[in-house]
């Protein structure tokens, strides 16, 4: 479907033309409008829909949510209020993607609410800088892609502490990884794609990557905290490995 190729810049341009009275989206089916709105930051999507009575409620039908704290710097607590408002109004459709960037704000109540909402709506892709997930979210069976970072610390984890039975793609960016002797990745039994980008290993003499279904492995600019680290990979299906230190 051609609409899948529409990018956020083009979407912004279309909506700007609407303000000038050139409504290029009037004749599109509602589901295509919802798809285009899903490409935007959720705050922008809500604002664009306020420009037309016909579109006023279209943002509640998006299949992706994108919350970024950087859009709410001027007003304290407005970020949390906006998210709660969206979750109350959003229609109970399947959620294909959630982007949730907190900038280090520790509001565990808000984190639990949005991630549990995502789980209950079958989220398949998550991009976030949150590391401490609520226990219920760890049981997600629909999550396939997880992108974590930046600037968070993953401590040593007991075996199978993560659920995510359907997870096939994991990317860690600018994450401090504290492993000790544990294998952080062994609990992801269906993992096929793993990227470690600009990560730092803390107090680890050995990095074990054991994943029976891993096909693609990319390690870029991996740093060590004063310890000579051995990289050991056990992946019988591995086809592509890029190590760019």
């Amino acid at each position: 479907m051609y609409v899948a190729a529409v990018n956020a810049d083009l979407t912004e341009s279309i909506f700007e033309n609407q303000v000038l009275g050139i409504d290029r989206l009037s004749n599109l089916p509602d589901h295509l409008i919802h798809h285009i709105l899903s490409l935007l930051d959720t705050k922008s999507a809500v604002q664009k829909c306020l420009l037309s009575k016909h579109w006023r409620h279209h943002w509640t039908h998006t299949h992706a949510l994108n919350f970024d704290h950087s859009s709410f710097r001027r007003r304290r607590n407005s970020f949390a209020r906006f998210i709660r408002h969206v979750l109350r109004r959003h229609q109970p459709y399947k959620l294909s993607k959630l982007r949730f960037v907190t900038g280090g704000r520790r509001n565990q109540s808000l984190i639990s609410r949005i991630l549990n909402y995502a789980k209950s709506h079958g989220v398949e892709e998550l991009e976030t800088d949150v590391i401490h997930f609520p226990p219920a979210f760890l049981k997600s069976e629909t999550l396939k892609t997880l992108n974590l970072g930046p600037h968070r610390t993953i401590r040593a984890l007991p075996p199978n502490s993560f659920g995510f039975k359907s997870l096939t793609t994991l990317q860690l960016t600018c994450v401090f990884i504290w492993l000790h002797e544990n294998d952080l990745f062994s609990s992801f039994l269906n993992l096929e794609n793993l990227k470690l980008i600009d990560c730092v290993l803390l107090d680890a003499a050995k990095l074990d990557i054991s994943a029976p279904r891993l096909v693609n492995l990319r390690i870029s600019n991996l740093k060590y905290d004063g310890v000579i680290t051995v990289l050991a990979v056990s992946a019988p299906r591995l086809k592509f490995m890029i190590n760019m230190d």
Side-chain angles (χ1 to χ4, degrees), residues 177 179 183-185 194-196 201 204-211 214 217-224 227-235 238 240-245:
I177 305 174
L179 290 177
D183 177 4
L184 180 63
F185 309 104
L194 175 61
K195 294 182 180 181
L196 305 178
L201 299 181
K206 183 179 181 182
L207 172 60
D208 283 308
I209 299 178
S210 177
L214 188 65
L217 173 61
R218 177 184 175 185
I219 302 175
S220 178
N221 197 28
L222 187 66
K223 301 179 179 66
Y224 313 104
V227 179
I228 298 177
T229 302
V230 176
L231 174 62
V233 178
S234 176
L238 190 65
F240 302 98
M241 177 174 174
I242 302 176
N243 190 351
M244 302 174 62
D245 286 340

Side-chain angles (χ1 to χ4, degrees), residues 45-94:
V46 174
Q47 291 173 335
K48 305 305 182 187
C49 288
L50 295 178
L51 297 174
S52 168
K53 291 182 179 180
H54 175 66
W55 294 348
R56 183 166 296 175
H57 302 293
H58 274 313
W59 67 266
T60 66
H61 297 266
T62 58
H63 55 76
L65 294 173
N66 183 345
F67 301 113
D68 193 325
H69 78 102
S70 63
S71 300
F72 298 85
R73 290 180 177 178
R74 295 183 178 180
R75 295 183 181 181
R76 189 176 182 181
N77 298 325
S78 60
F79 182 52
R81 287 198 301 269
F82 177 76
I83 291 177
R84 293 189 181 99
H85 171 73
V86 169
L87 297 187
R88 285 194 300 267
R89 298 285 307 280
H90 200 260
Q91 298 299 312
Y93 300 134
K94 181 178 177 62

Side-chain angles (χ1 to χ4, degrees), residues 8-23:
D9 291 338
L10 178 56
T11 305
E12 289 282 356
S13 176
I14 292 174
F15 277 110
E16 288 172 2
N17 286 329
Q18 183 194 7
V19 178
L20 299 175
I22 307 174
D23 183 353

Side-chain angles (χ1 to χ4, degrees), residues 130-235:
V130 171
I131 290 297
H132 300 291
F133 299 118
F137 184 73
L138 295 176
K139 298 178 182 180
S140 171
E141 296 184 357
T142 61
L143 190 68
K144 297 180 180 179
T145 300
L146 179 58
N147 188 336
L148 294 180
H151 307 308
R152 294 292 174 265
T153 299
I154 300 179
R155 294 181 178 274
L157 300 172
N160 301 318
S161 61
F162 276 117
F164 305 151
K165 296 179 180 179
S166 300
L167 193 72
T168 59
T169 299
L170 175 63
Q171 177 172 317
L172 305 182
T173 304
C174 297
V175 171
F176 292 85
I177 305 174
W178 191 5
L179 290 177
H180 287 288
E181 297 180 355
N182 290 321
D183 177 4
L184 180 63
F185 309 104
S186 61
S187 60
F188 303 119
L189 299 180
N190 292 307
L191 192 64
E192 298 177 359
N193 307 289
L194 175 61
K195 294 182 180 181
L196 305 178
I197 302 174
D198 295 322
C199 292
V200 179
L201 299 181
L202 302 177
D203 193 25
K206 183 179 181 182
L207 172 60
D208 283 308
I209 299 178
S210 177
R213 297 189 177 183
L214 188 65
V215 176
N216 301 299
L217 173 61
R218 177 184 175 185
I219 302 175
S220 178
N221 197 28
L222 187 66
K223 301 179 179 66
Y224 313 104
D225 183 34
V227 179
I228 298 177
T229 302
V230 176
L231 174 62
V233 178
S234 176

